[in-house]
Amino acid sequence: MKVDKVGLPQGSFTKNRSVEERAMISDIREYWIQEYFKDNFHKYEGISAVESLFGTGPDFKGKMNGKEVMIEVESDCSCYLSHRHHLDSRFNNVELLVVLSPTEPKNMEGLPLNILFH
């Protein structure tokens, strides 16, 4: 199977699928989703100057509309909750959640106020 530059499968089976769907098909680990964001953050309006913070809580420190913010990246909003970030004090300062899923959750409780959907 052919893969793109970040290791996601491509070809007739995945041609018309979203990044999220391709990641789920491939069972891409969270690391690769973070790497995708690091390589493509410029595609998100208002995001600049991201710096990886792997292993210390939030995934990235960056700028959103010129303001320094802590950023968490997940495949979808439910991952933020299932990883229990909303209960972990290291994530209290996360101001931006970036998700590959284009689907907005029905219940936003426990999620950061700013969410960017891919």
Side-chain angles (χ1 to χ4, degrees):
M1 175 179 291
K2 290 182 180 181
V3 295
D4 65 15
K5 71 177 188 159
V6 294
L8 295 174
Q10 61 186 51
S12 59
F13 178 67
T14 58
K15 183 176 171 183
N16 296 320
R17 297 183 187 271
S18 69
V19 171
E20 179 200 24
E21 290 169 323
R22 291 169 56 207
M24 294 307 156
I25 289 168
S26 302
D27 192 26
I28 299 296
R29 296 185 185 267
E30 187 172 342
Y31 171 81
W32 292 112
I33 293 170
Q34 294 167 358
E35 286 295 304
Y36 173 82
F37 175 73
K38 185 173 77 174
D39 291 342
N40 294 280
F41 72 89
H42 59 279
K43 295 179 181 178
Y44 294 86
E45 187 175 333
I47 304 300
S48 62
V50 300
E51 176 186 336
S52 298
L53 301 174
F54 298 117
T56 62
D59 297 325
F60 298 93
K61 176 170 57 174
K63 290 195 176 184
M64 179 174 70
N65 300 320
K67 178 185 175 198
E68 192 168 285
V69 295
M70 301 305 280
I71 303 168
E72 182 66 14
V73 180
E74 299 286 359
S75 58
D76 61 45
C77 290
S78 66
C79 290
Y80 189 87
L81 300 173
S82 67
H83 295 163
R84 303 178 58 83
H85 294 327
H86 62 300
L87 302 175
D88 185 335
S89 62
R90 294 177 300 166
F91 291 83
N92 287 351
N93 61 349
V94 170
E95 293 185 54
L96 177 63
L97 174 60
V98 177
V99 295
L100 297 183
S101 170
T103 306
E104 190 171 324
K106 292 177 182 160
N107 183 358
M108 304 291 274
E109 187 176 341
L111 297 173
L113 293 178
N114 299 298
I115 302 174
L116 288 179
F117 299 92
H118 185 67

